[in-house]
Short mmCIF file of all heavy atoms in Angstrom, two decimals:
data_model
loop_
_atom_site.label_atom_id
_atom_site.label_comp_id
_atom_site.label_asym_id
_atom_site.label_seq_id
_atom_site.Cartn_x
_atom_site.Cartn_y
_atom_site.Cartn_z
N LEU E 141 67.28 35.03 223.01
CA LEU E 141 67.76 36.15 223.80
C LEU E 141 68.91 36.83 223.06
O LEU E 141 69.79 36.15 222.53
CB LEU E 141 68.25 35.70 225.18
CG LEU E 141 68.86 36.77 226.09
CD1 LEU E 141 67.84 37.84 226.44
CD2 LEU E 141 69.44 36.14 227.36
N ILE E 142 68.88 38.16 223.01
CA ILE E 142 69.98 38.94 222.44
C ILE E 142 70.53 39.83 223.55
O ILE E 142 69.78 40.53 224.23
CB ILE E 142 69.50 39.81 221.26
CG1 ILE E 142 68.95 38.92 220.13
CG2 ILE E 142 70.64 40.70 220.74
CD1 ILE E 142 68.27 39.71 219.03
N ILE E 143 71.84 39.80 223.73
CA ILE E 143 72.48 40.60 224.77
C ILE E 143 73.36 41.65 224.10
O ILE E 143 74.26 41.32 223.33
CB ILE E 143 73.29 39.72 225.73
CG1 ILE E 143 72.32 38.83 226.53
CG2 ILE E 143 74.13 40.57 226.67
CD1 ILE E 143 72.99 37.92 227.53
N ALA E 144 73.09 42.92 224.41
CA ALA E 144 73.82 44.05 223.83
C ALA E 144 74.20 45.01 224.94
O ALA E 144 73.77 46.16 224.97
CB ALA E 144 72.98 44.75 222.77
N VAL E 145 75.03 44.55 225.86
CA VAL E 145 75.39 45.32 227.04
C VAL E 145 76.64 46.17 226.79
O VAL E 145 76.60 47.39 226.93
CB VAL E 145 75.58 44.40 228.26
CG1 VAL E 145 76.11 45.19 229.46
CG2 VAL E 145 74.25 43.72 228.62
N TYR E 146 77.74 45.53 226.41
CA TYR E 146 78.96 46.30 226.11
C TYR E 146 78.91 46.70 224.65
O TYR E 146 79.61 46.18 223.79
CB TYR E 146 80.19 45.45 226.42
CG TYR E 146 81.46 46.26 226.55
CD1 TYR E 146 81.60 47.20 227.57
CD2 TYR E 146 82.51 46.08 225.67
CE1 TYR E 146 82.76 47.95 227.70
CE2 TYR E 146 83.68 46.82 225.79
CZ TYR E 146 83.79 47.76 226.81
OH TYR E 146 84.95 48.51 226.93
N SER E 147 78.03 47.66 224.37
CA SER E 147 77.66 47.98 223.00
C SER E 147 77.24 49.44 222.91
O SER E 147 76.79 50.02 223.89
CB SER E 147 76.50 47.08 222.57
OG SER E 147 75.88 47.55 221.41
N GLU E 148 77.37 50.02 221.70
CA GLU E 148 76.90 51.39 221.51
C GLU E 148 75.59 51.44 220.74
O GLU E 148 75.26 52.45 220.12
CB GLU E 148 77.95 52.24 220.81
CG GLU E 148 78.17 51.91 219.34
CD GLU E 148 79.41 51.10 219.09
OE1 GLU E 148 79.38 49.90 219.39
OE2 GLU E 148 80.40 51.66 218.62
N ILE E 149 74.80 50.38 220.75
CA ILE E 149 73.54 50.41 220.02
C ILE E 149 72.68 51.57 220.52
O ILE E 149 72.71 51.93 221.69
CB ILE E 149 72.75 49.09 220.12
CG1 ILE E 149 72.25 48.83 221.54
CG2 ILE E 149 73.54 47.92 219.60
CD1 ILE E 149 71.20 47.75 221.63
N ASP E 150 71.92 52.15 219.61
CA ASP E 150 71.00 53.22 219.97
C ASP E 150 69.57 52.68 219.96
O ASP E 150 69.35 51.48 219.79
CB ASP E 150 71.16 54.42 219.03
CG ASP E 150 70.91 54.06 217.57
OD1 ASP E 150 70.41 52.95 217.30
OD2 ASP E 150 71.20 54.89 216.70
N GLN E 151 68.60 53.57 220.16
CA GLN E 151 67.21 53.14 220.25
C GLN E 151 66.75 52.46 218.97
O GLN E 151 66.04 51.45 219.01
CB GLN E 151 66.32 54.34 220.56
CG GLN E 151 64.86 53.98 220.80
CD GLN E 151 64.65 53.22 222.10
OE1 GLN E 151 65.06 53.68 223.16
NE2 GLN E 151 64.00 52.05 222.04
N ALA E 152 67.15 53.00 217.82
CA ALA E 152 66.72 52.42 216.54
C ALA E 152 67.24 50.99 216.39
O ALA E 152 66.50 50.09 215.97
CB ALA E 152 67.18 53.29 215.38
N ALA E 153 68.51 50.79 216.74
CA ALA E 153 69.08 49.45 216.64
C ALA E 153 68.42 48.51 217.65
O ALA E 153 68.13 47.35 217.34
CB ALA E 153 70.59 49.50 216.87
N TYR E 154 68.17 49.02 218.85
CA TYR E 154 67.50 48.20 219.86
C TYR E 154 66.12 47.76 219.38
O TYR E 154 65.73 46.59 219.54
CB TYR E 154 67.37 48.96 221.18
CG TYR E 154 66.50 48.23 222.18
CD1 TYR E 154 67.02 47.17 222.91
CD2 TYR E 154 65.16 48.57 222.35
CE1 TYR E 154 66.22 46.46 223.80
CE2 TYR E 154 64.35 47.88 223.23
CZ TYR E 154 64.88 46.83 223.96
OH TYR E 154 64.08 46.13 224.82
N ASP E 155 65.38 48.68 218.79
CA ASP E 155 64.04 48.35 218.31
C ASP E 155 64.09 47.24 217.26
O ASP E 155 63.23 46.34 217.26
CB ASP E 155 63.37 49.59 217.72
CG ASP E 155 63.03 50.63 218.78
OD1 ASP E 155 63.00 50.27 219.98
OD2 ASP E 155 62.79 51.80 218.41
N LYS E 156 65.08 47.28 216.38
CA LYS E 156 65.20 46.24 215.36
C LYS E 156 65.53 44.89 215.99
O LYS E 156 64.97 43.85 215.64
CB LYS E 156 66.29 46.63 214.35
CG LYS E 156 65.97 47.86 213.53
CD LYS E 156 67.12 48.18 212.61
CE LYS E 156 66.85 49.43 211.78
NZ LYS E 156 66.78 50.66 212.61
N LEU E 157 66.47 44.92 216.94
CA LEU E 157 66.86 43.68 217.59
C LEU E 157 65.71 43.08 218.40
O LEU E 157 65.50 41.86 218.40
CB LEU E 157 68.07 43.93 218.50
CG LEU E 157 69.38 44.27 217.78
CD1 LEU E 157 70.42 44.75 218.79
CD2 LEU E 157 69.91 43.07 217.01
N SER E 158 64.98 43.93 219.08
CA SER E 158 63.91 43.42 219.95
C SER E 158 62.74 42.84 219.16
O SER E 158 61.91 42.12 219.71
CB SER E 158 63.42 44.53 220.90
OG SER E 158 62.89 45.62 220.18
N LYS E 159 62.68 43.16 217.86
CA LYS E 159 61.66 42.53 217.01
C LYS E 159 62.06 41.09 216.67
O LYS E 159 61.21 40.28 216.30
CB LYS E 159 61.48 43.33 215.72
CG LYS E 159 60.77 44.66 215.91
CD LYS E 159 60.65 45.41 214.60
CE LYS E 159 59.96 46.76 214.80
NZ LYS E 159 59.88 47.54 213.53
N ILE E 160 63.34 40.80 216.81
CA ILE E 160 63.82 39.45 216.52
C ILE E 160 63.71 38.56 217.76
O ILE E 160 63.26 37.41 217.69
CB ILE E 160 65.29 39.49 216.05
CG1 ILE E 160 65.40 40.30 214.74
CG2 ILE E 160 65.84 38.08 215.82
CD1 ILE E 160 66.82 40.57 214.31
N ALA E 161 64.10 39.10 218.91
CA ALA E 161 64.07 38.33 220.17
C ALA E 161 64.18 39.31 221.33
O ALA E 161 64.61 40.46 221.14
CB ALA E 161 65.23 37.34 220.21
N PRO E 162 63.80 38.90 222.54
CA PRO E 162 64.00 39.77 223.70
C PRO E 162 65.45 40.23 223.77
O PRO E 162 66.37 39.42 223.63
CB PRO E 162 63.64 38.86 224.88
CG PRO E 162 62.68 37.86 224.30
CD PRO E 162 63.18 37.61 222.90
N THR E 163 65.65 41.53 223.95
CA THR E 163 66.99 42.11 223.90
C THR E 163 67.27 42.90 225.17
O THR E 163 66.45 43.70 225.60
CB THR E 163 67.13 43.03 222.67
OG1 THR E 163 66.90 42.27 221.48
CG2 THR E 163 68.52 43.65 222.61
N VAL E 164 68.43 42.66 225.75
CA VAL E 164 68.85 43.38 226.96
C VAL E 164 69.99 44.32 226.58
O VAL E 164 71.02 43.90 226.06
CB VAL E 164 69.31 42.41 228.06
CG1 VAL E 164 69.92 43.17 229.24
CG2 VAL E 164 68.14 41.55 228.52
N GLY E 165 69.78 45.63 226.82
CA GLY E 165 70.79 46.63 226.49
C GLY E 165 71.67 46.97 227.68
O GLY E 165 71.58 46.34 228.75
N ARG E 166 72.50 47.97 227.51
CA ARG E 166 73.43 48.38 228.57
C ARG E 166 72.66 48.91 229.78
O ARG E 166 71.48 49.22 229.70
CB ARG E 166 74.41 49.43 228.05
CG ARG E 166 73.78 50.70 227.51
CD ARG E 166 74.86 51.63 226.96
NE ARG E 166 74.26 52.81 226.33
CZ ARG E 166 73.92 52.87 225.06
NH1 ARG E 166 74.09 51.82 224.29
NH2 ARG E 166 73.39 53.97 224.56
N THR E 167 73.35 49.05 230.88
CA THR E 167 72.70 49.43 232.12
C THR E 167 72.07 50.81 232.02
O THR E 167 72.56 51.68 231.29
CB THR E 167 73.70 49.43 233.29
OG1 THR E 167 74.69 50.43 233.07
CG2 THR E 167 74.38 48.08 233.43
N LYS E 168 71.01 50.99 232.75
CA LYS E 168 70.28 52.26 232.72
C LYS E 168 71.15 53.41 233.22
O LYS E 168 71.02 54.55 232.76
CB LYS E 168 69.01 52.15 233.57
CG LYS E 168 68.17 53.40 233.57
CD LYS E 168 66.84 53.18 234.32
CE LYS E 168 65.90 52.33 233.50
NZ LYS E 168 64.54 52.26 234.12
N ALA E 169 72.06 53.13 234.12
CA ALA E 169 72.90 54.19 234.70
C ALA E 169 74.04 54.62 233.79
O ALA E 169 74.68 55.65 234.04
CB ALA E 169 73.48 53.71 236.03
N GLU E 170 74.29 53.88 232.74
CA GLU E 170 75.44 54.17 231.87
C GLU E 170 75.11 55.33 230.93
O GLU E 170 74.28 55.20 230.03
CB GLU E 170 75.82 52.93 231.06
CG GLU E 170 77.10 53.07 230.28
CD GLU E 170 77.51 51.78 229.58
OE1 GLU E 170 76.84 50.75 229.80
OE2 GLU E 170 78.48 51.80 228.84
N LYS E 171 75.76 56.47 231.11
CA LYS E 171 75.46 57.65 230.33
C LYS E 171 76.15 57.64 228.97
O LYS E 171 75.60 58.09 227.98
CB LYS E 171 75.86 58.91 231.12
CG LYS E 171 75.04 59.09 232.39
CD LYS E 171 75.48 60.33 233.16
CE LYS E 171 74.65 60.49 234.43
NZ LYS E 171 75.07 61.67 235.22
N GLU E 172 77.38 57.14 228.92
CA GLU E 172 78.14 57.03 227.68
C GLU E 172 78.45 55.56 227.43
O GLU E 172 78.83 54.84 228.34
CB GLU E 172 79.45 57.81 227.77
CG GLU E 172 79.31 59.30 227.54
CD GLU E 172 79.03 59.65 226.09
OE1 GLU E 172 79.50 58.93 225.19
OE2 GLU E 172 78.33 60.66 225.86
N PRO E 173 78.27 55.07 226.19
CA PRO E 173 78.64 53.68 225.91
C PRO E 173 80.07 53.39 226.35
O PRO E 173 80.96 54.22 226.19
CB PRO E 173 78.49 53.58 224.39
CG PRO E 173 77.46 54.60 224.05
CD PRO E 173 77.71 55.74 225.00
N PHE E 174 80.26 52.23 226.94
CA PHE E 174 81.57 51.74 227.38
C PHE E 174 82.08 52.41 228.65
O PHE E 174 83.25 52.25 229.00
CB PHE E 174 82.63 51.90 226.28
CG PHE E 174 82.21 51.40 224.94
CD1 PHE E 174 82.25 52.23 223.83
CD2 PHE E 174 81.74 50.11 224.77
CE1 PHE E 174 81.85 51.79 222.58
CE2 PHE E 174 81.33 49.65 223.53
CZ PHE E 174 81.39 50.49 222.43
N SER E 175 81.24 53.14 229.36
CA SER E 175 81.70 53.83 230.57
C SER E 175 81.28 53.13 231.85
O SER E 175 81.71 53.52 232.94
CB SER E 175 81.19 55.27 230.60
OG SER E 175 79.78 55.31 230.74
#
Side-chain angles (χ1 to χ4, degrees):
L141 176 63
I142 298 171
I143 293 180
V145 174
Y146 197 64
S147 165
E148 71 257 75
I149 67 165
D150 59 11
Q151 185 69 54
Y154 171 80
D155 291 343
K156 295 178 181 67
L157 292 169
S158 61
K159 288 179 181 178
I160 298 172
T163 301
V164 173
R166 59 183 175 271
T167 64
K168 181 174 287 188
E170 188 175 354
K171 295 179 180 179
E172 280 288 329
F174 312 125
S175 66

